[in-house]
Amino acid sequence: MTMFDIHTHILHGIDDGASDLEQMLLMARDAASQHITGVIATPHHADGHHWNPGERIRRLTDEANAALRAANIPLTIYPGQEVRIYNRLLEDLEEKIVLTLNDSRYLLLELPHSHIPRETADMIYELQLMGIVPIIAHPERNLEIARDPRRLLELVQTGALAQVTSHSIIGHSGKKVKQIAMDLCKHRLIHLMASDAHNRSLRNFNLDTACEAIVDTLGQDFRDYYTANASSVMNDQPIEVWPADARMRKKFFFFGR
């Protein structure tokens, strides 16, 4: 079964992902070996460490795809970003400094690890007015959501989607993060699964293993839902949002003490 990966750091020399073209090609071979045929490159943007405008990402994506063709690797890379909320986000989106995922209606938003910025709900609303659907990246790694999953429910009810990371599902980020990730999936607060792949060692793709874990724990319907939604993002199609299970309480999850 072929798969799409909507959140990767496969582009070379642009952030904390692939360091050079050689590493990009090695990561691409790993992705292809897992039956992944297309990945969206989502370099960090405006996170306090990286500033990667759309023009640079498109140029490097073209360069990467040319290298993939020359190496006969059956994988295509598409442009995107993983964006932190910042003051000019809406203006930069209009000016193509900020990119949606493969030029679709979907935008990948990254929250800080420690909290949800106060302006997040307002930003989700403003993005929707522009016809953009925000996807919250790896909410299972956000401390505020870990302490109170109703905070993610509020963002989903505002109109955002949420994407869990394969490493969290298979336990590579620790047992507590795995529990949080699975519980968010169980309560239907997660709409997509992606790798957030950065390298070939601790942060590889692992989508095939994560899909198996989802089937074993939650059933085939969840795996099929996440796979279909990734295809919808890639092809700019609407996503049918499962009704969230709101039967949760504060501190339903715990995260360190």
Side-chain angles (χ1 to χ4, degrees):
M1 181 178 184
T2 60
M3 290 188 291
F4 295 114
D5 192 348
I6 67 154
H7 181 178
T8 75
H9 297 267
I10 194 171
L11 273 192
H12 49 292
I14 196 169
D15 66 355
D16 56 346
S19 57
D20 52 34
L21 200 61
E22 180 181 357
Q23 289 302 310
M24 182 280 294
L25 290 172
L26 291 172
M27 287 181 67
R29 291 188 190 279
D30 289 343
S33 72
Q34 295 183 32
H35 309 291
I36 299 169
T37 59
V39 303
I40 301 180
T42 53
H44 295 290
H45 180 67
D47 65 348
H49 301 284
H50 306 95
W51 183 264
N52 288 308
E55 182 180 359
R56 183 184 187 199
I57 291 169
R58 291 187 190 280
R59 175 174 53 80
L60 286 176
T61 299
D62 289 343
E63 182 179 319
N65 281 320
L68 291 173
R69 290 191 295 270
N72 293 315
I73 299 174
L75 183 78
T76 302
I77 299 175
Y78 302 89
Q81 281 170 327
E82 181 179 13
V83 186
R84 287 283 183 95
I85 293 175
Y86 65 103
N87 290 339
R88 282 192 50 86
L89 193 156
L90 299 177
E91 292 86 348
D92 286 353
L93 187 58
E94 290 183 338
E95 295 175 12
K96 307 300 183 183
I97 294 170
V98 169
L99 299 181
T100 58
L101 299 176
N102 192 27
D103 297 316
S104 69
R105 73 194 73 183
Y106 300 100
L107 177 70
L108 190 65
L109 282 182
E110 182 184 33
L111 300 175
H113 177 70
S114 59
H115 67 287
I116 299 174
R118 288 179 298 176
E119 62 270 27
T120 301
D122 289 340
M123 180 61 69
I124 291 171
Y125 175 75
E126 294 292 337
L127 286 167
Q128 289 180 95
L129 292 180
M130 297 175 65
I132 302 297
V133 180
I135 299 173
I136 305 298
H138 43 67
E140 74 277 8
R141 284 157 42 186
N142 178 272
L143 289 175
E144 189 170 341
I145 291 171
R147 294 185 181 114
D148 186 356
R150 295 176 303 180
R151 298 292 289 117
L152 179 59
L153 176 62
E154 292 167 1
L155 298 180
V156 169
Q157 290 174 333
T158 302
L161 303 177
Q163 169 256 306
V164 75
T165 300
S166 59
H167 304 88
S168 299
I169 291 294
I170 63 178
H172 283 189
S173 298
K175 291 182 179 179
K176 291 180 180 179
V177 174
K178 179 179 179 179
Q179 178 191 341
I180 293 164
M182 280 294 190
D183 283 338
L184 290 175
C185 290
K186 178 182 177 181
H187 285 82
R188 302 192 175 202
L189 289 172
I190 297 297
H191 310 92
L192 297 132
M193 181 166 64
S195 72
D196 191 13
H198 279 66
N199 51 54
R200 302 188 68 218
S201 53
L202 296 178
R203 303 184 72 177
N204 204 328
F205 292 91
N206 294 314
L207 272 182
D208 51 355
T209 307
C211 283
E212 292 173 4
I214 288 291
V215 172
D216 291 343
T217 305
L218 300 173
Q220 185 70 35
D221 287 349
F222 280 81
R223 181 226 165 105
D224 292 346
Y225 180 67
Y226 298 149
T227 302
N229 288 348
S231 180
S232 293
V233 169
M234 188 70 76
N235 293 291
D236 194 22
Q237 297 297 314
I239 285 177
E240 180 183 355
V241 177
W242 277 354
D245 180 358
R247 294 173 297 175
M248 58 184 69
R249 57 185 174 84
K250 187 176 181 180
K251 296 186 179 178
F252 184 84
F253 311 117
F254 64 95
F255 194 101
R257 287 181 178 272

